[in-house]
Structure formats: structure tokens, C-alpha cells
Amino acid sequence: MTLLSRRPGSFGGVVLSRFQRPGQVIVGGFAAVIAIGTALLALPIATTEGEPAGTLPALLTATSAVCVTGLITVDTDPHWSVFGEVVILLLIQVGGLGIMTLATLFALLVSGRLGLRARLLAQAETKTLHGADLRRVIRRIVVFSLVSETVLAVVLSLRFALGYAEPPGRAIWLGVFHSVSSFNNAGFTLWTDGMVRFVADPWVVLPVAFAVILGGLGFPVVFELLSNWRRPRTWSVLTRITVGVSAALLVGGTLLFTVVEWQNPRTLGPLPDHVKFMAGFFTAVMPRSGGLNVIDISAMRHESWLATDILMFIGGGSAGTAGGIKVTTFGLLAFVMWAELRGEDRVNVGHRRVAGPVQRQALTIALLGVGIVAAGTFTLLAMVPHSLDRVLFEVVSAFATVGLSTGITPQLPPPGQLLIIVLMFIGRVGPLTVFSALALRERTRRYELPEERPIVG
């Protein structure tokens, strides 16, 4: 990756060139980490039985961990040894930090690149790059992530030790593993039934849900809220849309899941009323990319599956650990539609006008997502005997890097599992690649063609 290059006659002899094919850097980096993780998980020491796990299970698990998804074909705790679980945990951490760092840096380069470039130019000229925003941003991301994970790990470890009589070492390991998995929206658990056993425990359910929300909001939004939470009128468009759309989806999802599953004897039906609301809230949070569950996903009603598909596809905030097309994309398109319905030729959010290129980028990412999900669903349907709703659920979960499942992923044939691997990789790496390619390669046309208005609709 080349950031700086020298040209004769330029100011100071240094100019900031654009990233050299950033998509290749992103794809190559994630692929390399997945390859290393696959090799480690394929070792005999990585399984409890001391036998090699096989290339395909190791590859799918490594991809799911690095892409912070959570779809698996073998149960984590019974199958993988302590060594294997540590490898999975490290892959989740590397994947989560890598995603937040890359996404935030690209956001800086796009939204504020003039100021950032100027500072980089000046500091590169004086060889003081150590003080640049890039280093400060990366440090804040790492510190913010580790502190958040540590706080949650302490809460969960104490709960597992005091409330469930887990031995201290086991309680700490459970707390650390599920803290990292929750904050990074990875969807991995060390229990075969997910987190169903904790459905009535607010000391586990609520902290985990909050960590998923925090990690999925996105680093820029979280820090803007921390510094300006009392002055919402000063929030950026990114924060306004992320907070507004996230809150609406969370409230709407909670009400929908609670109402639809209220009398379902296989999900919320047997639970006390107050637990039903908490479980409905948790179930509404997890499609945003959390991937954890306190009720049996395979037993949910078809209406809930469809609602989950929609929430998974939308995903969470930009520059965070969540997947999907992102709430920013969804929110921008909603404002575009509203402006068009009102006959306005400008799209405004709060006291800011949204640039035309950003609107086109949002439309491109959304339509690419629809196309990938449609192609993946069509291909997987041709391989398996499962119904459309189950296949669509699995494909959206993989593409949106969520990890929720109706239970058919372990039953897929090898070609189907390879398709899931490809979808997870595209879903995690693809949006970053597309975003960087669209935003960092803007071209200004030096002429205008005659305008024509074709019939639309």
C-alpha cells in the first residue's frame, strides 16, 4: 500500500497519492489471516480427540471467526480443544480490530481527507509521521476495544463464578471468550444451545446485548456520542442516521419478535412475561450482526424468519464490527426516497445536504447486496433439498456476517459449505472493498452530455 510519493515541482516534493488498489490489500490481508487460522485449526492439537479436524471444517471455522460471523459446522466447545478455542478467539480479535481499523481509516480518508491529507503532508515532510491522525486513531480503536471487552469479561466472569458455580479458571475463560465474541459481533459461544440457558438472566443477557450494540455502532459514532451526546444538533450525518435508524430498528424488532413469538410454545411461550420482553429485545439486537441467541432460531415462526432476514441484511453501523449493507446505507436511501416523493432535488439530513456521489454509493452497495444474496440463494437451492425460507435465512446470515442459523449449515454438502465460506468472505471484505473503490476513485467529468429523462416505473 503506497501512501506517499514524490513528484518534481510539487509542494515540498511530497504529495499524498491515493491508495494503490486498496481492495487487493484488504482481500490479501484477510485471506492471509484465514489461511493461517485454517492451518492452525487443522492441527491434531486443535481438537479434543487429538485427530485432525479436516480442511473444510477448519477453513469454515477460521473464515467464520476472522469474518466475525459465527456460522459453524461443528460445535465449538465439544469439538475444539483449548488450543483450538484460543486460536478461534485470536482470529475473532484480529478480524474485529482489523475491520474497525480499516473501515475507520477509510472513513477518515473519505469524509475528512482534505484535513487529514494536509496533516500527513506536513508531518511526512518533517519526518514526524508518529504524531499523525492515523496512529492516534488506531490507538484509540485498540484501547476502546480492549477496555470494552475487559469490562464485559469481568461482569460475565463474576456472574458465571457466583451465579453458576463455575470454577474460577473456567469462569474467567467463559467471560473472556464471550466478551470478545460479543463486542466483535462474532456469534461464537462455548455452549451447544447458544445462550438459551441464560434467557432469564439479565446479568448475562443485557451486558452481552449492550456489547453487541456498542461494537456494531461503529468507532466514529461511538466517540462522537461520547463527546457530544448532549448536543444532538451538532451530530454529523453519519451519527444522526446511525443512531436514528438503529433505534428504530431495535424498537421495532423488539415489538415484532415479542408479539409474533409471544405464544409460540417452542420459543417465548413458556417464559414469564417480563422474560419474554427481555428475550424479544435480545433477539432484535442479534440480527444486527451479533449472531447469538437465547431462543431456538429454528423454532421461530416464518414471520420472524423474514423479519430477521431484513434486519440481518440491513446490519449495523459503518466502521464497526457489524455486517450487512449498514444502517447508513439504508437510512440514506430512505432519505433519498423521501426527497423524491416530496419532489425535492436535494437530499437533506438535519442541517446538512448529502452529496450526490454518496447517494450513488449507497444505491450501488444496496443493489450489490441484493444481487449477491439472490445469486447465493439460487445456487444453494440447487444443491440442497431445504425450503426457500431456510436457505434464504442461511445465505443472508452468511453475507451479513451474522451467524444466526436455522440449523442447516452443518447439513450442507461440501459445495454448499464452500458457498457459505465465499459468502462470509464477500460479506465482510466486499463492502470495504467496494466502499474504498467507489469513494477513493472519484473522477470529475470535464464535459456534460445532453440530458434525457427516460420513463421510470
Side-chain angles (χ1 to χ4, degrees):
M1 184 184 296
T2 302
L3 278 177
L4 301 174
S5 63
R6 291 188 176 273
R7 294 179 185 171
S10 62
F11 175 74
V14 181
V15 297
L16 183 67
S17 65
R18 63 183 59 174
F19 281 95
Q20 300 298 316
R21 299 182 179 180
Q24 292 183 355
V25 177
I26 297 172
V27 172
F30 275 85
V33 177
I34 290 172
I36 294 173
T38 301
L40 292 174
L41 291 177
L43 296 174
I45 192 177
T47 64
T48 54
E49 297 180 355
E51 298 291 335
T55 303
L56 188 56
L59 175 61
L60 191 145
T61 303
T63 305
S64 185
V66 175
C67 297
V68 290
T69 304
L71 288 175
I72 54 176
T73 54
V74 292
D75 289 327
T76 303
D77 192 55
H79 183 81
W80 302 108
S81 65
V82 174
F83 174 83
E85 292 175 1
V86 170
V87 170
I88 292 172
L89 185 69
L90 292 176
L91 293 176
I92 292 172
Q93 188 71 82
V94 171
L97 283 177
I99 291 161
M100 291 191 73
T101 302
L102 285 173
T104 302
L105 292 183
F106 278 127
L108 280 175
L109 285 170
V110 173
S111 62
R113 70 179 147 183
L114 288 178
L116 180 58
R117 286 189 174 193
R119 286 188 290 273
L120 283 174
L121 285 173
Q123 295 181 351
E125 179 67 17
T126 57
K127 307 300 182 184
T128 58
L129 202 59
H130 63 277
D133 276 358
L134 290 178
R135 185 167 182 175
R136 186 183 308 116
V137 166
I138 293 174
R139 183 171 61 249
R140 293 179 71 184
I141 291 174
V142 173
V143 171
F144 168 69
S145 300
L146 295 181
V147 169
S148 300
E149 292 170 357
T150 300
V151 172
L152 178 61
V154 170
V155 173
L156 293 180
S157 297
L158 290 174
R159 183 57 180 168
F160 294 145
L162 301 178
Y164 297 91
E166 293 282 358
R170 176 66 175 173
I172 293 174
W173 174 239
L174 290 173
V176 171
F177 188 95
H178 292 92
S179 171
V180 174
S181 178
S182 300
F183 179 78
N184 290 285
N185 284 222
F188 279 82
T189 68
L190 297 180
W191 299 286
T192 56
D193 61 349
M195 304 190 75
V196 174
R197 65 189 66 190
F198 304 110
V199 63
D201 189 347
W203 290 100
V204 174
V205 170
L206 297 181
V208 167
F210 179 75
V212 169
I213 294 172
L214 188 63
L217 279 177
F219 175 81
V221 172
V222 170
F223 271 80
E224 185 171 356
L225 290 177
L226 289 175
S227 59
N228 294 320
W229 65 275
R230 292 183 177 180
R231 296 176 293 175
R233 291 187 177 183
T234 65
W235 290 355
S236 64
V237 172
L238 173 65
T239 299
R240 285 174 179 268
I241 293 180
T242 301
V243 173
V245 176
S246 296
L249 293 177
L250 186 57
V251 173
T254 300
L255 293 176
L256 188 148
F257 288 124
T258 303
V259 171
V260 172
E261 300 293 328
W262 187 270
Q263 295 183 339
N264 187 343
R266 300 173 62 191
T267 56
L268 299 184
L271 302 175
D273 289 351
H274 69 282
V275 176
K276 290 181 180 180
F277 283 106
M278 186 169 65
F281 168 75
F282 190 89
T283 305
V285 170
M286 292 306 139
R288 309 294 304 285
S289 199
L292 301 171
N293 66 291
V294 290
I295 60 175
D296 185 0
I297 300 298
S298 64
M300 290 170 61
R301 301 187 188 277
H302 294 278
E303 303 93 318
S304 298
W305 281 353
L306 179 59
T308 305
D309 289 340
I310 296 172
L311 292 176
M312 289 192 298
F313 185 77
I314 295 172
S318 301
T321 56
I325 64 171
K326 303 294 189 293
V327 293
T328 314
T329 302
F330 179 77
L332 279 176
L333 293 179
F335 277 104
V336 170
M337 291 176 57
W338 179 244
E340 186 64 27
L341 290 174
R342 298 182 63 181
E344 299 177 352
D345 59 352
R346 297 288 187 273
V347 178
N348 300 319
V349 179
H351 302 288
R352 294 289 186 272
R353 176 171 56 87
V354 179
V358 177
Q359 301 173 38
R360 295 194 297 270
Q361 291 164 17
L363 181 61
T364 301
I365 291 174
L367 291 181
L368 281 175
V370 171
I372 292 171
V373 168
T377 303
F378 181 87
T379 305
L380 195 58
L381 276 173
M383 299 180 184
V384 298
H386 301 292
S387 60
L388 172 61
D389 49 5
R390 289 182 179 270
V391 171
L392 176 63
F393 191 101
E394 225 73 8
V395 168
V396 175
S397 181
F399 168 74
T401 66
V402 176
L404 296 175
S405 174
T406 60
I408 70 172
T409 294
Q411 306 171 17
L412 297 178
Q417 294 182 22
L418 288 174
L419 177 60
I420 292 296
I421 291 172
V422 172
L423 286 170
M424 288 190 294
F425 190 80
I426 292 176
R428 175 51 64 195
V429 178
L432 281 177
T433 305
V434 171
F435 173 71
S436 62
L438 291 176
L440 297 178
R441 295 178 59 189
E442 293 182 5
R443 298 178 180 178
T444 302
R445 188 179 295 273
R446 301 181 185 278
Y447 59 89
E448 291 289 341
L449 296 174
E451 185 180 278
E452 182 175 345
R453 291 176 174 254
I455 298 176
V456 178

